[in-house]
Amino acid sequence: MTNQSYTQIIVPMDKYVRSLTPRARRWVSVLEGSLALVLFASLIVNAY
């Protein structure tokens, strides 16, 4: 049994990212990494 809502979001996003140029993919990766870093930092700050 698969989670349909998850696959309905991820599959179109994956197809879109694959259609990007390598430079655009790099920027998407940088933005995702930055977002993950900000979220992790907010968890650390809120824990103290």
Side-chain angles (χ1 to χ4, degrees), residues 6-39:
Y6 179 76
T7 57
Q8 288 175 354
I9 293 170
I10 295 301
V11 170
M13 286 178 58
D14 187 47
K15 287 181 182 176
Y16 174 72
V17 169
R18 287 178 189 227
S19 70
L20 294 174
T21 63
R23 186 174 181 182
R25 269 191 240 161
R26 191 174 312 121
W27 277 108
V28 169
S29 298
V30 168
L31 290 174
E32 287 177 345
S34 299
L35 179 61
L37 185 62
V38 167
L39 291 174

